[in-house]
Amino acid sequence: MRKLIAIGSAVALLVPALAMAAYDDVSLTTSTVISVGGMSLNIQGSTATIESITVNANDFSFALLSGSSIRITSSEQKRLDKSTTTDLTANVCTDTESTIEYTATQTQTITITPNPALCVKTTGGGGSSSGGGGGGGGGSSTSATPATPATPATPASTTTPATPATPATPATPATPTIASLQALLASLMAQLQALQGGTAPAAGVSFIRNLTIGSTGADVKALQVYLNTHGYVIASGGAGSPGNETSRFGGLTRAALIKLQKAAGISPSVGFFGALTRAYVNSHP
């Protein structure tokens, strides 16, 4: 499956809280803040593994892997519309909190659309503070004593208007790391090149699929040519050596690919030719 991070117009995505899991999945390591439709959303999920995430101008969607949990909170107590209630474990929308949470029992794609409407305020607990109208119940005596006239109630003082609450201070965005910015830049450059009809990188083959041990095809041979011609020689002689590239992805190809990933700062550097590595190669012909 092709995995990428797409940036919609007028949308800021803060990437340092994302780390790449095995085979280019994305794992949340800390909370992060994204802006969608002019509203800030806090994303949390120490156990969340996301296969892909797409952020648009008015919504965002993500593929949450089975066994992962994710929590989305609106700091402005705005409504959060969702595409599905499957595996929805929390849905709070009050004047003090706007939160939804999923715990996936199966891999599924979820779309969240922030709604400009505020959550409905909770009904006040309304303590019974009405004045005690102390009734004067007279005791029953043979000769009843006349009841003392009740003292007129003191007029209630004018209520002072409540001081408006101070707006909450927006969360300070985390500082992006150089490696995460480089990876994001490579991905965006590859997407831009594809939209502009850029030339394909190695040997006229555009890298559009994941490659790993056992993969075969023309794109495997093109990858070997790329590695051999960019300083990551697969073999000094025989199959896979410069001029003797093959169409099969084997251990030597994986070892050379790991060298490229380490040099380019792509993590994890495990020799899997996934979305991040493809984006780097496509943008460095």
Side-chain angles (χ1 to χ4, degrees):
M1 178 180 292
R2 186 178 184 184
K3 302 180 284 294
L4 54 89
I5 300 175
I7 308 299
S9 60
V11 176
L13 174 62
L14 304 181
V15 298
L18 302 178
M20 304 310 301
Y23 302 133
D24 293 324
D25 291 333
V26 178
S27 293
L28 290 180
T29 57
T30 62
S31 63
T32 188
V33 176
I34 64 174
S35 178
V36 182
M39 287 177 273
S40 296
L41 301 179
N42 186 276
I43 313 298
Q44 296 175 301
S46 60
T47 62
T49 300
I50 300 173
E51 190 175 42
S52 64
I53 180 168
T54 303
V55 181
N56 300 309
N58 298 312
D59 62 25
F60 76 101
S61 59
F62 53 90
L64 188 64
L65 298 191
S66 177
S68 294
S69 296
I70 193 168
R71 180 184 180 94
I72 301 107
T73 302
S74 168
S75 61
E76 303 163 322
Q77 288 77 52
K78 299 295 182 66
R79 286 174 46 190
L80 299 175
D81 297 332
K82 49 209 169 292
S83 61
T84 179
T85 57
T86 301
D87 295 335
L88 180 67
T89 54
N91 184 16
V92 180
C93 189
T94 69
D95 58 327
T96 59
E97 182 180 5
S98 176
T99 299
I100 58 176
E101 184 173 348
Y102 285 90
T103 299
T105 59
Q106 59 183 354
T107 298
Q108 64 169 321
T109 298
I110 302 168
T111 300
I112 303 298
T113 304
N115 192 314
L118 287 170
C119 290
V120 179
K121 291 187 176 182
T122 54
T123 303
S128 59
S129 58
S130 57
S140 60
S141 149
T142 304
S143 297
T145 302
T148 302
T151 303
T154 302
S157 60
T158 304
T159 303
T160 303
T163 303
T166 303
T169 303
T172 302
T175 303
T177 63
I178 294 177
S180 62
L181 289 176
Q182 288 176 336
L184 179 60
L185 178 61
S187 176
L188 292 175
M189 289 178 64
Q191 294 178 50
L192 179 61
Q193 185 181 32
L195 291 173
Q196 293 177 340
T199 57
V205 176
S206 179
F207 297 111
I208 60 175
R209 64 168 181 147
N210 296 341
L211 299 176
T212 188
I213 295 289
S215 297
T216 59
D219 49 356
V220 174
K221 185 173 183 179
L223 176 60
Q224 291 185 357
V225 171
Y226 182 92
L227 292 170
N228 282 336
T229 56
H230 285 73
Y232 309 101
V233 178
I234 296 173
S236 58
S241 63
N244 296 300
E245 291 84 359
T246 71
S247 59
R248 183 179 183 281
F249 193 119
L252 294 178
T253 304
R254 178 176 179 272
L257 185 58
I258 289 175
K259 295 179 182 179
L260 179 146
Q261 290 173 330
K262 289 181 177 179
I266 298 172
S267 178
S269 302
V270 294
F272 176 77
F273 192 63
L276 287 180
T277 311
R278 287 201 311 275
Y280 177 85
V281 170
N282 287 333
S283 62
H284 294 78

